[in-house]
Amino acid sequence: MYIDKVKQEMKIPEKVRIFDTTLRDGEQTPGVAITPEEKIRIAKRLDNLGVDVIEVGFPAASLGERKAAQEIKGLGLNAKVCGLARVLQEDLDAALDSDVDYIHTFIGTSPLHREYKLHMDQEEILTKAVDAVEYIKDHGIIAEFSAEDATRTEFEFLKNIYTAVEDAGADVINVPDTVGVMVPASMRQLVGDLKEVVSIPISVHCHDDFGLAVANSLAAVEAGALQVHATINGLGERAGNTSLEEVVMALMATYGIKTNITTELLVGTSELVSRITGVKMPPNKAIVGENAFAHEAGIHVHGVLQKAETYEPLKPEMVGHTRRIVMGKHTGARAIKSKLDDYGIEMNEDQFCTLYDQVKKLGDKGKMVTDADLQALAETVLGKPKEEKVKLEGFTVMTGDNVLPTATVKLNIDGKIKTAAKTGVGPVDASINVIQDLVRETADIELKEYHIEAITGGTNALAEVFVIMADGEGHSATGRSTVEDIVMASVEAVLDSINKILLARDMDQLP
């Protein structure tokens, strides 16, 4: 592995602490508001997950924030319960009143923040930072200090303020890439330079404005950072924060670095946070997305079925996920046969070829065939009679405003072509009416039952139609069809049933 060559040059630790800020920075995701009760639910799940610190919010913001912090602290969690505070007396007191055992305090340090937000010079900012840390430590609380917008701050000032808060008793210094402007090489350089001047643990808080939050966090660890701030699903301001699930799995699987995270709980935790916040994950979201361990392409599926590692860097079970073989236009025969084996469905070669062609045709129309779709299609193929006395040669239907639903059907009945048109209360009714009329000379067969069901959700869901037809001689048969068009599914199901009845009548006439 190439990583093994470069790891020797890195200062990577054996273990990294995970500081979770889902309930603070994650809640700052536009449109997200988490109630105190929901914060408690998420905090319990985060503690089960194994995060080291839970930043529960900004106690000075509201009474609700303080009450939520107090209640979470009262749960007796294994994780440290942290409150955020500016270097202001009222903020620090609000955090202390919340009974948290960890305070994360911050002040802006970059020229932009000094000039346009704070209207303070370097000396004033440094003094306030030191005073805040000393105040926290006077109360026997763990203190973490962040130089907000550190990555756009002059290094000399950054070095001065971090060494000053270390001297004041800070337990951890945090390096926020507040607007996500770093690249891995510069983050590695910055953390490495800070390691030369401070001896307390270095933490990083990266934002994803350029999609580099995880990469920058990993680069910081490569330079010796011992803690990473992260959120579940990468929630946070603007483009979000470092994704906890991504950075944890990269640390573990790629670098061999330990964390306290129980990785099997990642997907479940992701889903809980997604439900509570209302922020749905894109299907291609790394680690926890619906498609993170899904395969469609025939070459990939073949490889995965032989040896999962050919196209999977992780076992899905490691993160609480499951592997999915998705059926579509890229799906190979091996994948479909593997699925059929899972369902216990046996087919002969002709039946399988019919099923395979149906899956490919649906894929060409842009349809993804789900497990439920495949089973329904397979049942339809298996249920088809060996011989078809009645075959569909052509079919059109017309319906709409001020138009009586009309179906025109062309059938091949024992080698004779017959065509007719009929109306009905709807396109399905019209279609069944004309089919019954066309076969009446051969057999008087009537519809007894009709059921329809969408296999999966969505307007492009496959429709499964189930019918029971009967003649006047005591023969009845079920018919089934599964296609994406409800009217066509109804036509095919009716013809399926009719052919079964005609086959039964022929069997009765055998000597």
Side-chain angles (χ1 to χ4, degrees), residues 155-471:
F155 181 72
E156 194 62 29
F157 179 43
L158 202 60
K159 179 179 70 172
N160 290 341
I161 197 166
Y162 279 139
T163 55
V165 295
E166 179 180 20
D167 291 341
D171 299 285
V172 180
I173 63 162
N174 184 56
V175 182
D177 186 19
T178 302
V179 290
V181 295
M182 293 295 264
V183 296
S186 60
M187 180 60 87
R188 190 181 301 110
Q189 182 69 47
L190 174 57
V191 173
D193 289 345
L194 288 173
K195 283 279 289 183
E196 298 295 322
V197 296
V198 297
S199 58
I200 57 176
I202 296 175
S203 175
V204 287
H205 178 108
C206 298
H207 278 265
D208 209 33
D209 296 79
F210 289 94
L212 293 170
V214 171
N216 286 333
S217 297
L218 294 173
V221 172
E222 290 177 4
L226 295 177
Q227 180 175 275
V228 171
H229 284 210
T231 60
I232 299 296
N233 298 335
L235 295 176
E237 295 266 11
R238 305 180 311 280
N241 289 52
T242 299
S243 164
L244 183 148
E245 53 279 359
E246 293 176 24
V247 76
V248 164
M249 295 313 297
L251 286 170
M252 187 192 78
T254 306
Y255 293 86
I257 297 173
K258 297 176 183 177
T259 69
N260 286 325
I261 300 299
T262 303
T263 60
E264 292 81 2
L265 300 180
L266 285 171
V267 169
T269 306
S270 166
E271 290 172 349
L272 174 70
V273 171
S274 180
R275 287 195 303 271
I276 288 177
T277 61
V279 180
K280 295 184 177 180
M281 289 300 97
N284 63 333
K285 172 73 168 65
I287 309 300
V288 296
E290 182 183 357
N291 291 347
F293 296 93
H295 307 271
E296 180 193 343
I299 296 172
H300 283 217
V301 171
H302 175 55
V304 166
L305 292 174
Q306 297 299 312
K307 182 73 170 175
E309 289 85 347
T310 54
Y311 289 102
E312 287 179 352
L314 302 168
K315 293 181 179 179
E317 296 80 11
M318 290 173 65
V319 298
H321 225 315
T322 54
R323 181 179 299 112
R324 289 194 306 124
I325 305 299
V326 179
M327 305 295 143
K329 66 180 180 181
H330 301 112
T331 304
R334 287 178 180 271
I336 297 177
K337 287 181 178 178
S338 174
K339 281 287 187 182
L340 295 177
D341 289 341
D342 291 342
Y343 307 145
I345 296 175
E346 296 182 5
M347 287 185 160
N348 61 37
E349 194 60 30
D350 289 341
Q351 291 170 329
F352 178 79
C353 288
T354 299
L355 176 66
Y356 182 76
D357 288 343
Q358 289 181 353
V359 171
K360 287 290 188 179
K361 287 177 182 177
L362 289 168
D364 284 337
K365 294 177 182 178
K367 168 71 179 172
M368 284 294 178
V369 180
T370 67
D371 287 6
D373 291 335
L374 186 66
Q375 290 180 70
L377 288 167
E379 293 297 338
T380 297
V381 171
L382 288 171
K384 283 190 176 296
K386 296 179 181 179
E387 297 178 19
E388 291 183 317
K389 297 174 72 70
V390 180
K391 298 180 181 178
L392 183 68
E393 297 289 339
F395 168 69
T396 57
V397 65
M398 181 174 63
T399 188
D401 288 344
N402 302 316
V403 175
L404 195 62
T406 304
T408 302
V409 175
K410 180 192 289 187
L411 295 180
N412 182 329
I413 305 176
D414 282 334
K416 297 180 180 179
I417 302 298
K418 293 186 176 184
T419 304
K422 279 279 189 180
T423 61
V425 296
V428 171
D429 185 53
S431 302
I432 294 175
N433 287 342
V434 69
I435 291 172
Q436 290 179 144
D437 192 55
L438 284 170
V439 300
R440 189 157 282 120
E441 289 183 13
T442 305
D444 190 8
I445 300 174
E446 299 291 334
L447 178 69
K448 296 299 181 183
E449 289 187 32
Y450 176 93
H451 303 283
I452 183 170
E453 182 177 349
I455 303 299
T456 52
T459 56
N460 67 341
L462 292 186
E464 183 177 37
V465 173
F466 178 87
V467 301
I468 297 178
M469 309 283 287
D471 65 6

Side-chain angles (χ1 to χ4, degrees), residues 97-162:
D97 289 344
S98 300
D99 199 31
V100 296
D101 43 25
Y102 194 122
I103 293 179
H104 173 207
T105 190
F106 70 97
I107 188 169
T109 54
S110 69
L112 284 167
H113 281 240
R114 296 196 308 263
E115 181 176 354
Y116 295 102
K117 188 179 82 169
L118 300 173
H119 308 291
M120 295 181 189
D121 60 26
Q122 292 184 4
E123 192 61 37
E124 289 176 282
I125 289 171
L126 188 148
T127 299
K128 286 186 176 294
V130 168
D131 289 346
V133 170
E134 288 178 343
Y135 188 69
I136 295 168
K137 296 309 297 180
D138 285 345
H139 288 80
I141 303 297
I142 298 171
E144 178 167 335
F145 173 77
S146 282
E148 188 181 13
D149 208 19
T151 56
R152 293 191 295 181
T153 300
E154 308 93 323
F155 181 72
E156 194 62 29
F157 179 43
L158 202 60
K159 179 179 70 172
N160 290 341
I161 197 166
Y162 279 139

